[in-house]
Amino acid sequence: MSAPPEVIQPQRWGRDALLPRLGLIPAGGLDLAEVLAFKNSEAIPVHLVFPVGSPREANNLRGLLAILWPLQGSLVDQVWIVFGGQRLGGLSKLAREYPGLTIFSAREHLPLDQQDIPLGKGAAMRALLYHLIVQEGLSHPKAVVEFLDADIRPPYFSTRWIVDPVGA
């Protein structure tokens, strides 16, 4: 049986610290200004990805985008909606409402070894990772690609869902 997770207080650990395998950073444990300073000093690219299974998720996703959009261009370099379906429906309207939001059609960017498999959320996420690395040349060793579920209800969502994982 393993030991219980250790709570990590970021202010007490240096950037080069070896953290325990089961560590928890309390929500709100990282200062946005410090995370931004580190991200900018290291030129770390940050991509947020919302894999969606259906265009019906557009309304909920609109609420999440409204909450996180103040981070776009500062902490977040690119926001993606990853879709494996055939018809975008209301998702295309989101790209017009949020300039800089990219809708990634996994069907149009499948890796060679993914040509004949069903396109669920997992396959669509893998297709985006392949695209980022192979097509866009993403190679920074500290690059952050954070996947967020588009079904999270906006009342339970905050910018801390981005700041804390990126800072960690």
Side-chain angles (χ1 to χ4, degrees):
M1 181 174 236
S2 60
E6 182 177 341
V7 176
I8 299 168
Q9 301 296 335
Q11 299 78 5
R12 296 185 198 149
W13 295 72
R15 270 282 172 207
D16 296 325
L18 294 174
L19 300 176
R21 284 186 295 191
L22 290 175
L24 300 173
I25 297 175
L30 298 168
D31 180 63
L32 175 59
E34 290 176 17
V35 173
L36 277 170
F38 180 73
K39 175 204 183 289
N40 293 332
S41 71
E42 300 274 330
I44 299 170
V46 175
H47 297 263
L48 292 185
V49 183
F50 288 96
V52 295
S54 165
R56 292 178 300 214
E57 296 179 74
N59 285 336
N60 192 70
L61 191 50
R62 181 176 286 107
L64 300 177
L65 291 170
I67 293 167
L68 73 81
W69 210 253
L71 298 175
Q72 172 65 14
S74 58
L75 182 61
V76 177
D77 298 303
Q78 184 65 52
V79 179
W80 301 83
I81 295 175
V82 177
F83 184 61
Q86 294 180 0
R87 295 193 177 117
L88 290 173
L91 295 173
S92 58
K93 187 176 180 184
L94 290 176
R96 291 190 299 275
E97 293 173 22
Y98 292 94
L101 174 69
T102 302
I103 297 179
F104 178 82
S105 174
R107 289 186 182 282
E108 298 171 15
H109 299 91
L110 288 175
L112 295 176
D113 65 339
Q114 247 183 294
Q115 298 295 317
D116 298 320
I117 64 168
L119 271 178
K121 287 183 181 182
M125 290 187 287
R126 184 174 180 271
L128 176 70
L129 288 173
Y130 179 85
H131 173 78
L132 287 173
I133 294 166
V134 175
Q135 302 297 320
E136 295 200 7
L138 181 65
S139 62
H140 194 293
K142 294 181 181 178
V144 175
V145 179
E146 182 177 353
F147 293 93
L148 293 163
D149 194 329
D151 290 338
I152 300 167
R153 297 291 172 222
Y156 301 104
F157 187 71
S158 79
T159 56
R160 299 306 321 179
W161 285 54
I162 293 106
V163 173
D164 292 341
V166 169

